């Protein structure tokens, strides 16, 4: 079940490639043509049946740190301007991430473009995907 949900999250995000970025947008369904980073994550997880909160900082706080990401795990960047977590992206597998980025829209990037930055704050995993014991 978890593997299917993870694949669904990645597929959802890839299906948004090329859509517009609008900071603070709120989406109620899955058929939007504009996203901000955390709203796309929230919609992707909801569509996969794994609810998650909205807002990059709240998502960071909710998820648990991991060293090695699996598809569907989240990566986070710090915002000096806002003095909090300011960006979230979905690990898509094979060293790539999908995210909604100001000025670029929804894109797929090599993860190294982000993980090498000083403001990188790590990979995190949804609590429902953490195996106990």
């Amino acid at each position: 079940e978890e593997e299917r949900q993870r694949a669904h999250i990645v597929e959802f995000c890839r299906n948004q490639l090329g859509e517009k970025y609008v900071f603070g947008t709120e989406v109620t369904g899955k058929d939007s043509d504009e996203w901000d980073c955390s709203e796309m994550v929230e919609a992707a997880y909801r569509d996969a049946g794994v609810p998650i909160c909205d807002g990059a900082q709240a998502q960071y706080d909710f998820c648990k740190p991991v060293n090695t990401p699996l598809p569907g795990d989240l990566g986070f960047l710090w915002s000096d301007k806002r003095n909090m977590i300011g960006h979230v992206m979905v690990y898509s597998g094979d060293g790539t991430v999908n995210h909604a980025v100001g000025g670029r829209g929804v894109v797929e990037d090599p993860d190294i473009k982000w993980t090498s930055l000083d403001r990188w704050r790590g990979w995190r995993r949804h609590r429902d995907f953490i195996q106990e014991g």
Side-chain angles (χ1 to χ4, degrees):
E1 174 72 353
E2 177 183 325
E3 195 170 317
R4 184 195 62 74
Q5 289 170 316
R6 287 176 171 281
H8 189 94
I9 290 163
V10 171
E11 179 183 8
F12 182 99
C13 293
R14 284 187 168 148
N15 286 340
Q16 310 315 312
L17 289 173
E19 300 291 1
K20 292 182 301 220
Y21 173 89
V22 177
F23 178 78
T25 194
E26 287 293 324
V27 178
T28 54
K30 66 178 181 179
D31 297 320
S32 177
D33 62 354
E34 58 184 45
W35 301 99
D36 78 0
C37 62
S38 65
E39 195 68 24
M40 187 176 80
V41 166
E42 181 188 11
Y45 272 75
R46 182 176 54 236
D47 200 57
V50 188
I52 194 170
C53 45
D54 189 16
Q57 181 69 60
Q59 291 167 348
Y60 178 89
D61 292 342
F62 176 82
C63 295
K64 300 294 184 189
V66 294
N67 292 324
T68 305
L70 295 172
D73 285 343
L74 304 177
F76 294 89
L77 295 175
W78 184 258
S79 169
D80 287 332
K81 187 169 137 183
R82 298 172 63 205
N83 201 33
M84 61 189 287
I85 295 294
H87 189 67
V88 59
M89 58 195 80
V90 175
Y91 184 71
S92 309
D94 298 323
T96 62
V97 293
N98 289 100
H99 53 146
V101 183
R104 295 175 61 210
V106 179
V107 296
E108 186 166 278
D109 286 327
D111 63 3
I112 193 71
K113 177 176 183 168
W114 303 100
T115 60
S116 61
L117 298 178
D118 287 344
R119 51 196 199 105
W120 175 252
R121 291 299 180 266
W123 299 110
R124 293 177 86 86
R125 183 166 295 156
H126 192 288
R127 291 177 184 182
D128 288 358
F129 292 157
I130 301 287
Q131 268 48 0
E132 299 298 328

